Amino acid sequence: TATPRFWMARENCEGLGIRARYWQIDTSARLDIPHPPFAILSGVEAHAFDIEATQRAHFCSFDLQFAGGMRYGKLNTDIGIPAIGGVIGMDFEGIGPTVALGMSRSIGCRGLSLVSNVRGSWLYGDTSGYGGIFGIGGPILDVNDHMMQVWEVQLGVEWTRCMGPGEVVARLAWEAQAWEWAPVASLLHQDVGFTGPAFSLGYNF
């Protein structure tokens, strides 16, 4: 499933800046069982909004960008069996600190660079669970001050070219994310992972 990410940033001449990022995914899957015939449906929806301060630095041949701030995150997972009106799901919504490090290394003089990004977020909020069958059901779990850890890594290449008063930046990378729910009463535990190619296009001016 293609998912959008939007970002906007501003930096001063000393490399200090502020950045806002938003990413979301809403996807589903279907499994058909032939004998006896019925279907199992699953869905995942996630949202992440970051607001952070950034600082650029240079070390040896690497350009670095440090970032730190706050993240709002929301995650919903559910599994359903339409034939019996059955569904079970978990929701999380919280906020917490996020830190990131971006690195790039120029390759030659044609605007190409190797790039990588790593990020960790520690979100604190509320988890709720729900379930039902034959259309009958409701909340089955409610946990306050719950924690979720989110880890992200991105590796790829970037191309820049001067155009007008600024420069065009295009990036192709592979990205992986892990959303890790803290166990509930040391028993209920669920993690969600996302991975796939990431293409971005931006303009710096």
Side-chain angles (χ1 to χ4, degrees):
T1 299
T3 64
R5 173 181 285 130
F6 305 97
W7 76 97
M8 183 170 58
R10 184 176 178 84
E11 294 182 359
N12 64 17
C13 58
E14 297 177 344
L16 179 65
I18 186 170
R19 179 172 64 188
R21 304 165 71 249
Y22 174 74
W23 173 82
Q24 72 92 22
I25 184 173
D26 187 358
T27 186
S28 61
R30 177 187 177 98
L31 174 64
D32 291 304
I33 308 298
H35 304 294
F38 70 95
I40 299 176
L41 305 180
S42 65
V44 177
E45 182 179 359
H47 300 261
F49 175 74
D50 305 317
I51 183 74
E52 55 198 359
T54 62
Q55 176 64 59
R56 290 194 180 274
H58 187 77
F59 178 74
C60 294
S61 299
F62 291 88
D63 292 318
L64 309 176
Q65 185 182 51
F66 300 92
M70 298 296 292
R71 163 173 286 194
Y72 163 81
K74 185 177 182 180
L75 179 66
N76 167 258
T77 64
D78 59 65
I79 298 177
I81 304 178
I84 60 173
V87 64
I88 185 170
M90 288 181 65
D91 291 335
F92 173 86
E93 186 174 17
I95 189 171
T98 182
V99 294
L101 172 63
M103 297 179 288
S104 65
R105 173 66 161 86
S106 297
I107 308 173
C109 56
R110 296 186 178 273
L112 288 176
S113 301
L114 297 174
V115 294
S116 66
N117 286 283
V118 292
R119 176 181 293 274
S121 303
W122 296 264
L123 308 180
Y124 298 85
D126 300 328
T127 290
S128 60
Y130 56 91
I133 190 171
F134 298 117
I136 302 174
I140 59 176
L141 174 70
D142 191 8
V143 181
N144 298 321
D145 300 323
H146 204 202
M147 184 185 76
M148 173 175 287
Q149 300 177 83
V150 184
W151 305 100
E152 303 175 23
V153 61
Q154 189 181 83
L155 301 171
V157 294
E158 184 177 86
W159 175 77
T160 60
R161 181 169 182 175
C162 293
M163 184 175 294
E167 61 181 11
V168 175
V169 182
R171 176 178 296 187
L172 179 62
W174 192 271
E175 181 170 337
Q177 299 185 23
W179 294 59
E180 301 178 350
W181 246 304
V184 178
S186 300
L187 296 175
L188 186 60
H189 181 61
Q190 184 180 32
D191 295 338
V192 177
F194 306 104
T195 188
F199 174 75
S200 63
L201 183 65
Y203 187 76
N204 297 332
F205 56 89

